[in-house]
Each structure stands twice: as C-alpha cells, then as structure tokens.
Amino acid sequence: MSWTDKNKLKIQINYNDQVYHIDLEKGCDLSIRNDFSGNAPTFFGAEQPEAVPQHSGDFIGDLESGGSCNVPIVSCNIHCTGTHTECVSHIQDSKFKLPDKCPKGFIPAYIITVEPVAANSINDSYHCDISKSIVISKELIKSKILTSCEALIVRTLPNNQSILSRNYDDQHAPFFTNDAICYINELGIMHLLVDVPSIDKPDDGGRLGNHRLFFDYHL
C-alpha cells in the first residue's frame, strides 16, 4: 500500500505481522559510487576509474572541447574501485548471473556496527596465516545479532570520509574469519552487505575461502 503526503511518496509494509511506514525521501544511500576524478577507493592494485570522451573522425564527445554532446567511454574495475555486488559466478564457472539471483523487491535487513580486532587476540580459524591481520570475528557478529534474518549489513569502525577514497593496498582492510562466516550461514542470512573490499584476506593464496563458505552453503 502506498500513499502521498504533500506530494511525498510513502509506503506501508507488513512484514512478520508488523507494520512499517517508510518515507522514500528519507532513505540513506550506503553505497560508494565510482568517482572518475581520480579519488575513488581502490583495492588489489586496481587503477582509478576513468571516463574519456569518444572520438570518431571529427567528432569528439565532450562539450567542453567543442563537441555537440557528451559521450564518455567509461572504464572501471567493478570489484576493486567502488561498491559492487557478487553472486556465486564470481568464484565458479556457473550458469547463474546477478539478474537471476538479485531480488527485485525490498529485502528486510539488519544493520550492525562492529569494531574489528587483532586476529592474534582471538581463537577463530582461517584458512591461511592471519597473525598480523585485523579481523571481524564470530563473537563480534554474535554479540550484535542472534536471530535469523534475510540480509545482514555489517558496518565497521572507524567509519569516516576516508573510506570514499582509500587505497586499501596501503591501508589494509579487515576481513571476516571463517568462524564468522559459518555463524552468518547458521543464521540463514542470504545476502551479506559489507563496507570492506572483500570478506576474505586479499592474499589468501587465491582460495577465497570465505566466499566459498558463503556461496557453497546456499547452493
């Protein structure tokens, strides 16, 4: 059900026998857009996203250069320069594509905030050496959520403007332990949204162990 209030669109949702009222104009965008000014966040040696005008004969697709319209050619590394989404085809030669799996409607989600800890201060497992790493542990997740949910959004601290342009090769990001991902699976979470470049350590020997734990659980 939807209605307008002074030309503002609002919706009413009944979920799990509870009614929620949502003002669509007060939504909060959690994504990090690709920035073509050279200040996008980067990971795993990726180059900055780039947008250059198309050239075709005497035509140039750039108004500032005298062209009749703007026609940019965009180049970016989807996985390593901004917010992106993945399905099992990221790690398997699978028939599944994102449009096949991505829900078309609203997804009920919990959002939690955690402060990653030193890996050598906990007993969680991982599939390679993480002794010098900062991680998101099972206990951090468990201390914030105990019930099943369809989607989980994990926000990490510190959280400031630097994440919009950070080079994660210079400032290593935290990632999840195997135990944390297994616990997330136990909760029945179908969609995991994070503010770090990867749920795995970037140099885990190419195993992408957490990716496999999460995606294999849902196959």
Side-chain angles (χ1 to χ4, degrees), residues 53-61 71 73:
Q54 179 186 351
H55 290 261
S56 180
D58 294 332
F59 171 79
I60 179 170
V71 184
I73 299 173

Side-chain angles (χ1 to χ4, degrees), residues 74-125:
V74 173
S75 174
C76 66
N77 184 325
I78 295 298
H79 282 274
C80 300
T81 57
T83 297
H84 68 282
T85 188
E86 300 169 350
C87 69
V88 69
S89 297
H90 180 51
I91 58 168
Q92 292 184 8
D93 186 12
S94 169
K95 63 182 178 182
F96 296 120
K97 304 300 180 185
L98 280 172
D100 302 325
K101 293 297 181 180
C102 187
K104 295 179 174 61
F106 286 101
I107 305 173
Y110 279 96
I111 182 168
I112 63 174
T113 300
V114 299
E115 187 166 6
V117 297
N120 59 13
S121 68
I122 60 174
N123 294 319
D124 280 21
S125 62

